[in-house]
Amino acid sequence: MPNRNDAPRKFFSEDEQLRLREAIAAAEKRTSGEIRLHLERDVPTKAPANGDAYLRAREVFAGLKMHETADRNGVLVYLATRTRKFAVLGDEKLHERVGDAFWNDIRDLMAAHFREDRFVEGLAEGIALVGERLREHFPHREDDVNELSDEISY
């Protein structure tokens, strides 16, 4: 079991990282949507994030160029490992279709797992549900390409 206070790259064991990459790949298999997982130790306390996980997720989303997907249907799962702050952020075309209630449900599901120190389970389950919703609105197409890496970013 990794030390949960370590740097983000060590927050999950190699097996756990593999499981999360596989969860992303499985979720994307039946959709043209894109999902990324980003980990960092703390949410930056300086502007523009000011310690707010959602604002930081927006910065990371832009930095990973997730807004450049063809269908504007990317989803970022952001986790600050030491402070246990997180956010789930979807691009505009997906958000238009699912609304705030969907994101709140994903957040609540993941938070319930996180409170019990079950981070892999919470992330994997949240990613799977995001993938299902993406499939409903953005089904996989014959010409679909994986626009964003399934690797965990740091």
Side-chain angles (χ1 to χ4, degrees):
M1 178 84 163
N3 180 345
R4 297 284 190 214
N5 292 319
D6 280 341
R9 289 186 188 273
K10 296 180 180 179
F11 188 74
F12 295 116
S13 70
E14 290 295 322
D15 287 342
E16 289 172 328
Q17 291 177 50
L18 176 61
R19 182 173 170 206
L20 292 168
R21 288 191 306 271
E22 288 173 345
I24 292 168
E28 290 182 352
K29 193 171 193 167
R30 301 186 317 156
T31 179
S32 63
E34 299 289 336
I35 302 170
R36 294 292 313 260
L37 172 60
H38 182 83
L39 305 177
E40 55 189 10
R41 188 172 184 158
D42 298 299
V43 179
T45 56
K46 295 183 179 183
N50 295 322
D52 183 294
Y54 178 77
L55 293 176
R56 179 59 180 154
R58 289 177 53 134
E59 287 180 274
V60 172
F61 194 96
L64 294 173
K65 300 186 183 309
M66 293 184 67
H67 60 287
E68 294 180 7
T69 60
D71 293 327
R72 299 297 303 263
N73 58 1
V75 176
L76 175 67
V77 178
Y78 169 85
L79 173 63
T81 60
R82 185 169 68 164
T83 56
R84 307 299 208 268
K85 292 182 179 180
F86 73 100
V88 183
L89 178 67
D91 207 341
E92 64 184 30
K93 294 296 180 184
L94 176 60
H95 181 72
E96 287 172 4
R97 293 181 170 119
V98 301
D100 290 334
F102 173 71
W103 303 115
N104 292 338
D105 289 347
I106 295 294
R107 178 201 62 214
D108 293 348
L109 174 133
M110 292 171 62
H113 284 287
F114 294 174
R115 279 191 294 276
E116 297 176 6
D117 202 33
R118 295 176 21 208
F119 289 90
V120 174
E121 292 82 0
L123 290 168
E125 192 171 335
I127 288 166
L129 289 174
V130 166
E132 284 301 311
R133 190 55 66 93
L134 280 166
R135 183 179 60 84
E136 290 174 26
H137 298 287
F138 299 95
H140 186 272
R141 298 183 313 261
E142 290 293 323
D143 64 343
D144 186 55
V145 295
N146 192 8
E147 296 178 81
L148 300 172
S149 172
D150 295 343
E151 294 296 314
I152 298 169
S153 64
Y154 301 92

